[in-house]
Amino acid sequence: MSKDLYAILGVARTASEAEIKSAYRKLARKYHPDLNKDNKDAAEKFKEVSAAYDILGDKEKRQKYDNNEIDADGRPTGFGAGFGNGQGFDGNGGFYTYTRSGGRQNPFGDAGGFDFSSIFGDDIFSQFGGGAQNFRGGARRPRKGEDVSYSMPIDFIDAVKGSQQQVVIGGRNVNVKVPAGTVDGQTLRLKGLGQPSPNGGENGDVLITLKVRPHAYFKAEGNDVLMELPVTVKEAILGAKVTVPTIDGKVAVKIPPYSSSGEKLRLKGKGIKTKQATGDQIITLKIIAPKNHFTPLEQALQSMPDENIRSF
């Protein structure tokens, strides 16, 4: 009794091309020899579903099969039936077709091989020893070497302003360019400095995760630099001119008279400079009461009128 190719793939005769391809992919994954070591039944099943897909996955061959012009083995029926093609697998797992002249041809086209990653995707072949298998004579595609991960601490100023850092990778010193505006946990990729490929492909990369050390008084928020500035009661009431640090050095800042805790001063352009934008430095005032008793101050405050500053 002749084989039913539709039954082999588990699809109806009215199945679409996409449904046939999907069914084949599921069965090919299930019965692939690399997933079924020393399982002859699975190997035979894999050959069977591959041969079925060779016909049903080809629009012209499928039409001939549906019209009984070729049989389940791809051989012509009726006149010339004894001179048809036959299919098989070579010793490397490649699929071939016998021609009427006795030679072999690739049923998947003149390209010389069928790339099974188009059916399986690269991920499944990572289970077979790494990398997609290109069944052209059984040769594997060159596989990229493994990436290597490092963690590197870095000072806040070096991170926000950008810097050159030197690290030892594989016994040699490597200069690493840290871009301005780098944040804690950001990863830099150094192409080609990882593990070599096992079969002639590209080297892997080095991935460096930066750990930004906290600063004593600066914090970053986007491209802005934040800091809290302690001021005395005298400076807050009378106003003052004080020197404050920025990531580029010290600058003079004027505190307006009668300033309150929590008020903010903005230093334009004194934040983080990147290719995209330049931030500001935002200073939040924090009034600090004197630690020692000062009688004139207390008397002056006693003589001040009471103010209602609370809304609750």
Side-chain angles (χ1 to χ4, degrees):
M1 183 175 177
S2 179
K3 293 178 290 185
D4 184 346
L5 300 185
Y6 291 98
I8 290 173
L9 294 184
V11 296
R13 285 186 168 270
T14 56
S16 65
E17 292 180 16
E19 290 171 331
I20 289 174
K21 184 175 182 179
S22 177
Y24 169 64
R25 290 180 64 171
K26 291 177 182 177
L27 292 171
R29 289 183 184 185
K30 180 178 179 181
Y31 295 113
H32 195 282
D34 284 338
L35 292 180
N36 297 272
K37 299 292 185 182
D38 302 322
N39 188 332
K40 293 182 179 180
D41 291 339
E44 288 301 318
K45 191 67 176 176
F46 180 73
K47 293 178 184 179
E48 187 179 46
V49 298
S50 296
Y53 183 69
D54 173 46
I55 294 176
L56 298 186
D58 183 294
K59 189 174 182 180
E60 185 177 342
K61 290 181 182 179
R62 182 184 179 184
Q63 185 175 6
K64 289 182 178 181
Y65 176 72
D66 289 344
N67 293 336
N68 292 318
E69 296 176 32
I70 60 174
D71 63 14
D73 294 318
R75 291 188 294 262
T77 60
F79 179 75
F83 301 94
N85 294 348
Q87 292 84 25
F89 283 80
D90 61 28
N92 296 314
F95 191 69
Y96 60 81
T97 299
Y98 287 117
T99 63
R100 295 180 183 180
S101 62
R104 293 183 180 183
Q105 69 179 21
N106 192 309
F108 298 108
D110 295 331
F114 180 69
D115 186 353
F116 275 78
S117 66
S118 66
I119 296 297
F120 293 115
D122 287 339
D123 290 343
I124 188 170
F125 282 102
S126 65
Q127 304 170 32
F128 308 155
Q133 182 90 7
N134 186 350
F135 285 81
R136 299 183 181 180
R140 287 189 180 276
R141 285 180 176 176
R143 181 161 62 91
K144 183 180 176 183
E146 296 292 331
D147 292 339
V148 179
S149 297
Y150 289 90
S151 179
M152 184 175 75
I154 183 173
D155 290 336
F156 178 88
I157 298 296
D158 289 335
V160 299
K161 293 192 66 175
S163 60
Q164 289 278 353
Q165 302 291 320
Q166 194 173 80
V167 296
V168 178
I169 298 174
R172 60 193 176 114
N173 292 328
V174 176
N175 288 323
V176 178
K177 184 177 181 181
V178 178
T182 292
V183 298
D184 184 59
Q186 187 169 326
T187 298
L188 305 180
R189 181 181 293 271
L190 307 183
K191 295 285 290 182
L193 295 184
Q195 296 291 342
S197 167
N199 59 349
E202 296 180 357
N203 287 353
D205 303 331
V206 167
L207 306 177
I208 300 179
T209 300
L210 300 177
K211 302 295 183 184
V212 180
R213 298 185 183 100
H215 196 273
Y217 33 83
F218 290 138
K219 289 184 179 179
E221 187 176 273
N223 277 33
D224 292 334
V225 174
L226 312 182
M227 73 165 290
E228 198 173 65
L229 177 64
V231 295
T232 66
V233 172
K234 180 179 179 180
E235 291 170 334
I237 298 299
L238 301 180
K241 191 174 185 179
V242 300
T243 300
V244 299
T246 72
I247 61 173
D248 294 317
K250 295 181 178 181
V251 298
V253 172
K254 186 179 284 188
I255 300 173
Y258 289 90
S259 293
S260 300
S261 272
E263 289 187 4
K264 294 182 180 353
L265 308 177
R266 183 180 294 269
L267 305 182
K268 294 289 292 183
K270 293 298 182 182
I272 300 168
K273 300 175 180 67
T274 65
K275 293 180 179 180
Q276 291 73 32
T278 298
D280 304 328
Q281 179 163 316
I282 300 173
I283 299 172
T284 301
L285 301 180
K286 182 180 180 182
I287 299 175
I288 307 297
K291 299 297 183 184
N292 301 316
H293 290 288
F294 187 60
T295 302
L297 174 60
E298 295 174 6
Q299 291 174 345
L301 293 175
Q302 287 289 346
S303 64
M304 287 181 62
D306 293 333
E307 292 184 75
N308 184 14
I309 59 172
R310 289 172 282 276
S311 60
F312 48 85

